[in-house]
Amino acid sequence: MRGLNKYFSIAKASLEVIFVYRAGFAFNMIGTVFYVVAMFYLWQTIFLGKPGALGGFTWPEMKAYLIVAFILNSTMTWFDEWTMGSDIREGRVATDLARPIDFQLKRFAEAIGPVPFELVSALGIGAVVAVVFGGIALPADPVHLALFIVSAALATLLKFAIIYCVSMVAFWTTGMEGVQNARMAVQNIFSGALIPLVFFPEWLRGFASVLPFQGMISTPALTYLGAMDGPTTAFMIGTQAVWVVGLMLFGRLLWRSAIKAVTINGG
Amino acid sequence: MPLIEAHGLTKQFRQAVKEPGLVGSLKHFFTRQYKDKLAVDHIDLSVEAGESVAYLGPNGAGKSTTIKMLTGILVPTSGSLIVDGLVPHEKRQQNARKMGVVFGQRTQLWWDIPVIESFNLARDMYEIPAARYKANLAEFTELLGLAEFMNIPAGKVSLGQRMRADLCMALLHEPKLLYLDEPTIGLDIAVKDSIRKFIHRLVEERGTTVMLTTHDLGDIEDICNRIVIIDSGKIIHDGGLADLKDNYARDRVIHFQLARPPASMEPICAGLPACDLHADGLSLSVRFDRFEFAAGEIAAAVMPHVEVIDFRIDEPEVEDLIRRVYLGQLSLAAPEPTADTPESAVAAEA
Ligand SMILES: Nc1ncnc2c1ncn2[C@@H]1O[C@H](COP(=O)(O)OP(=O)(O)OP(=O)(O)O)[C@@H](O)[C@H]1O
Ligand SMILES: [Mg+2]
C-alpha cells in the first residue's frame, strides 16, 4: 500500500485547510445546529399527544434518527460541485493532470481529509442536543452498532461518489450553483433526511428505493435503530455498496470521456 | 532517440459561437453553433536530451496548447507524439513522474497551507526518497532564496516568491524534462535574473532538458540554445539562436563618437559603397552586412578621415528580430531576407 501514501498526505493537507478556514467551518456547524434543533421541535410537535409509535418510530427512536441524519449531513461538507466545478472550468485541474496522481483518488483524499474532524465536532454537538432533548434510543446490541458503522462509512463514500459524478456536469455548463442546489434538494427528499421514507406514499417510496440517495441517511439510520430484520439489513447495506462501486466507476468513466471531449480551458 | 518526438501534431478546439447577452445564450442553447479553431497545426518537433528550447510566438500562437499536449494534459486531435518513449496522454502518470512543469499563470502550490508543506506533498506524490528530497530541497532553497517565506501559505506570498517556490516544487523529483510556460511573467528584473541563472545552472549541471515559452526575450538568451517559433499553430522557424541571428540579422551597426564633425562625408562614403552611413553632429554610424565586411574593415575605412574618440557595435536584438517575424516583415521561409527596415531606409537619406 505504499502507493496510497501520497493520498494520505493529500488528505492530511486537506484537513489542515479546514483549520485555516475554521471560522467558516464554525459558522457552517452553527447553521446545522439550528437546523437540527428546529427539526427536533418540529417532530416533537408531531409526536406530541401520540404516546405510541408513528410510522413505526417511537419518539426516542425518532430523535435517534434525527441525530444520525445530522451527523451524516455534517461530514464531507467541504467537497461540493461548486468547488470542483470551478476547478474544472477555470482549468485548475490541469495542475492535477500534470502529476503522477489519480484524479478521482486525489479528490477523494481531499474530501475525506476533514471528515475525522467533522465527525468529532458533529458527535460532540449531537451528544449535547441528544441530552438536552432527553436522550435518544441506542442501538439494541453491538452487532447493530457495528453494522451501523459500516453503513455510515458507505454513506460517506456514496456522498462522495454522487457529488463527483454530478460535478462532471461542469464540463458542459457554467451554472454549478443551480446543479448543486438541485442535487441537494433531491438528496434531502430521497435520502430521508427531512422525513423518514416510511412516511412517503407508496409510489414515492418505490421511487426512493431505486435511487442511490436512501443509502446516504435512511439505510444507516434504520440500521442504527435495528428497524430492519437481518436479511433486509444485509440487502440494504449491500445495495449501498453496489451503488458506491457503481457510481465510483461511473464517475471515472465520466471523467475520462469528459476530459477527452472537452479538455482544459484557458492557457 | 530524441526525448520529444512529434509528427503532424495537431490540436483543434471547438469554440462555442455565442452572441452576447441573454438572447445570444438562448440562441446558442437551441442552435449550438461551434467553430473549429486549429490551435496547433501539424507541427513536427524533435528535441534531444539536454537541449534547451525556447518556444516562441505571438499571443494565441499555440504555445501553451503544445505544452499541454507534451505534458499529457491535452489529448491531441491528430498526429503522433512520443515523449521519452511514452504517449503522454495515454501514460499520463508515468509521463508526469519524469517531467516538471511550471505554468507562470497559475500556481501548483497548495494555496492555503505553508509552502514547505506543498513541498512535502510533492515528496509523497512523486515518492522521492527521503535523502534525495532533503538534499534537493536544501539546494533549491539556497539557490532560489526560499527560506524567508517557506512557512507562509502560497496564497500569501508575492508573485516572485510564488514563482520561485513553484519552480522548486516542479524540480524536487529531479525530472529529466522541464516545461516552463511563461516562467518570468510579471516578475521584477532581479527575480527574473535569479530564475534565469537557476535554470541555466540546471541545464548545465544536471543536463535537464528544458522547453520554455516566454514573451520575454531575455529569458532565451540566458537559457536556450535553440529557438522554435510558432505562429498560428504552425512552426515557422526552428534552429539555433546563432542561426537565427546569422540568417535574419546580417546587419550590424557600428557607432563612432567623433572629436569634430566630419569635414566631408564624400571620402568615407566612397570607401564604403555597400553600407548605409548616417552622420549627426559628433556621431557617425555605419550599418553593414557582417558577412561582407568585418567590423575592423569598417573602422579602417573610417579612421583616416575623422578623429574617433570612441566606438561601439550594436548586436541585433533578438527581440527586434522576433518582432519582425511576428509582424510578417521578415519572412523566414524566404532564402534571402530583405535587409531594409524602416530605420535603415531613413538612415540612407542622410
Ligand atoms: N480550451 C480551449 N478551447 C477553445 N480554444 C482554445 C482553448 N485553449 C486555447 N484555445 C485557442 O487556441 C489558440 C492557442 O492558444 P494557446 O493558449 O496555445 O496560445 P499561446 O501561444 O499560449 O498564447 P499566449 O502567448 O497568449 O499564452 C488560441 O486561439 C486560443 O483561443
Ligand atoms: Mg500561453
Side-chain angles (χ1 to χ4, degrees):
Chain A
M1 290 284 108
R2 247 190 85 239
L4 289 181
N5 196 21
K6 50 180 119 174
Y7 301 105
F8 186 71
S9 300
I10 292 169
K12 234 171 49 191
S14 174
L15 172 60
E16 229 175 284
V17 173
I18 191 169
F19 292 115
V20 176
Y21 293 104
R22 52 194 172 270
F25 177 79
F27 277 116
N28 246 344
M29 268 290 170
I30 292 168
T32 49
V33 170
F34 277 112
Y35 177 78
V36 73
V37 169
M39 289 291 277
F40 263 82
Y41 278 117
L42 178 72
W43 283 96
Q44 197 174 33
T45 319
I46 294 169
F47 270 87
L48 208 67
K50 296 199 179 60
L54 206 62
F57 289 101
T58 63
W59 175 225
E61 285 174 338
M62 189 63 213
K63 283 190 286 189
Y65 186 99
L66 292 175
I67 291 289
V68 169
F70 162 73
I71 290 167
L72 291 173
N73 272 337
S74 305
T75 53
M76 213 174 253
T77 55
W78 286 72
F79 179 66
D80 58 28
E81 289 90 345
W82 192 84
T83 316
M84 192 156 131
S86 54
D87 282 359
I88 289 172
R89 293 216 71 81
E90 284 157 31
R92 274 192 296 271
V93 288
T95 320
D96 293 336
L97 289 175
R99 287 178 170 154
I101 45 173
D102 178 86
F103 185 76
Q104 194 186 36
L105 274 178
K106 189 226 174 196
R107 290 285 148 171
F108 180 68
E110 278 178 2
I112 203 83
V115 166
F117 183 68
E118 292 173 314
L119 199 59
V120 169
S121 313
L123 281 172
I125 294 168
V128 171
V129 174
V131 168
V132 168
F133 280 87
I136 58 170
L138 296 172
D141 53 67
V143 176
H144 279 105
L145 185 62
L147 285 171
F148 164 68
I149 291 170
V150 171
S151 180
L154 285 170
T156 308
L157 296 181
L158 191 57
K159 188 170 185 173
F160 171 81
I162 288 173
I163 296 174
Y164 187 86
C165 288
V166 175
S167 296
M168 294 300 151
V169 178
F171 279 103
W172 293 280
T173 181
T174 39
M176 286 315 283
E177 234 169 316
V179 170
Q180 182 172 332
N181 287 338
R183 187 264 305 165
M184 292 211 298
V186 172
Q187 173 190 319
N188 272 331
I189 295 169
F190 291 105
S191 66
L194 291 175
I195 309 166
L197 300 179
V198 286
F199 294 108
F200 281 16
E202 192 66 43
W203 64 271
L204 202 58
R205 211 183 325 156
F207 197 51
S209 71
V210 297
L211 294 176
F213 300 102
Q214 57 171 347
M216 295 176 76
I217 306 277
S218 183
T219 304
L222 296 181
T223 306
Y224 175 94
L225 292 172
M228 304 177 287
D229 59 25
T232 312
T233 308
F235 175 76
M236 291 308 286
I237 293 178
T239 308
Q240 270 185 306
V242 169
W243 273 115
V244 168
V245 173
L247 287 174
M248 287 281 195
L249 292 178
F250 185 57
R252 293 187 82 82
L253 206 76
L254 277 178
W255 167 254
R256 234 198 274 155
S257 58
I259 207 74
K260 260 195 199 133
V262 190
T263 52
I264 318 305
N265 292 308
Chain B
M1 210 182 91
L3 202 53
I4 299 176
E5 181 126 61
H7 289 293
L9 187 64
T10 299
K11 180 69 194 182
Q12 190 169 48
F13 287 113
R14 210 166 65 138
Q15 293 172 326
V17 181
K18 211 169 95 176
E19 287 162 42
L22 185 62
V23 178
S25 298
L26 264 177
K27 242 164 114 179
H28 179 68
F29 187 79
F30 290 108
T31 56
R32 293 268 154 191
Q33 285 209 336
Y34 294 98
K35 140 174 145 265
D36 286 335
K37 166 85 201 168
L38 254 184
V40 173
D41 188 1
H42 296 89
I43 63 168
D44 296 323
L45 186 67
S46 162
V47 177
E48 298 290 338
E51 277 193 283
S52 44
V53 180
Y55 195 48
L56 309 176
N59 289 128
K63 303 181 296 293
S64 297
T65 306
T66 310
I67 299 279
K68 284 179 187 164
M69 288 193 281
L70 293 173
T71 52
I73 294 173
L74 277 182
V75 183
T77 309
S78 63
S80 76
L81 173 64
I82 309 269
V83 177
D84 198 22
L86 299 174
V87 177
H89 78 270
E90 283 173 5
K91 293 269 181 287
R92 190 179 59 73
Q93 292 197 45
Q94 258 170 280
N95 184 58
R97 232 171 248 128
K98 297 191 279 188
M99 63 164 207
V101 59
V102 175
F103 294 106
Q105 318 265 23
R106 72 173 43 109
T107 183
Q108 313 225 48
L109 301 160
W110 206 296
W111 197 253
D112 298 303
I113 61 175
V115 170
I116 178 71
E117 297 195 30
S118 285
F119 294 159
N120 290 338
L121 264 172
R123 175 196 59 206
D124 296 337
M125 280 194 291
Y126 292 94
E127 292 158 344
I128 309 167
R132 300 260 8 110
Y133 174 71
K134 241 181 105 185
N136 286 336
L137 184 61
E139 183 183 342
F140 297 154
T141 301
E142 166 78 33
L143 289 175
L144 290 165
L146 308 176
E148 51 166 328
F149 54 90
M150 200 65 118
N151 293 308
I152 301 175
K156 294 195 175 129
V157 302
S158 79
L159 181 64
Q161 294 173 332
R162 203 214 76 200
M163 207 75 91
R164 282 179 283 160
D166 256 310
L167 205 51
C168 174
M169 176 103 171
L171 289 166
L172 284 169
H173 60 290
E174 304 176 13
K176 57 167 102 166
L177 250 164
L178 176 64
Y179 301 107
L180 302 163
D181 195 351
E182 304 193 35
T184 57
I185 189 168
L187 305 185
D188 72 39
I189 296 168
V191 174
K192 268 183 193 170
D193 203 51
S194 74
I195 285 185
R196 286 171 189 163
K197 285 214 178 76
F198 176 78
I199 298 168
H200 183 76
R201 198 184 143 118
L202 209 66
V203 173
E204 295 287 303
E205 289 183 8
R206 299 202 180 203
T208 307
T209 309
V210 172
M211 187 151 170
L212 161 127
T213 85
T214 184
H215 292 290
D216 189 327
L217 296 137
D219 292 349
I220 58 177
E221 288 199 278
D222 286 356
I223 301 167
C224 303
N225 56 22
R226 175 173 163 196
I227 291 181
V228 177
I229 303 179
I230 182 172
D231 191 11
S232 304
K234 289 194 172 76
I235 288 180
I236 56 171
H237 171 85
D238 186 348
L241 180 57
D243 286 354
L244 191 72
K245 285 186 182 171
D246 288 351
N247 290 336
Y248 308 110
R250 303 172 62 134
D251 286 9
R252 287 277 188 285
V253 181
I254 179 163
H255 299 271
F256 298 96
Q257 186 73 40
L258 309 178
R260 279 174 300 278
S264 158
M265 291 295 290
E266 293 280 312
I268 309 174
C269 288
L272 296 166
C275 306
D276 289 327
L277 274 78
H278 180 89
D280 184 10
L282 290 176
S283 65
L284 170 70
S285 58
V286 180
R287 181 182 289 270
F288 63 100
D289 182 332
R290 69 191 177 92
F291 291 146
E292 305 254 323
F293 297 97
E297 291 176 64
I298 303 288
V302 172
M303 299 289 214
H305 308 287
V306 289
E307 190 179 335
V308 174
I309 300 172
D310 196 6
F311 68 92
R312 72 185 154 83
I313 302 174
D314 276 355
E315 278 275 305
E317 294 255 327
V318 179
E319 184 159 356
D320 183 49
L321 271 178
I322 289 164
R323 188 183 311 122
R324 283 160 66 194
V325 174
Y326 288 173
L327 292 174
Q329 288 178 356
L330 211 61
S331 164
L332 288 170
E336 273 301 324
T338 45
D340 268 5
T341 62
E343 302 92 59
S344 66
V346 172
E349 305 284 88

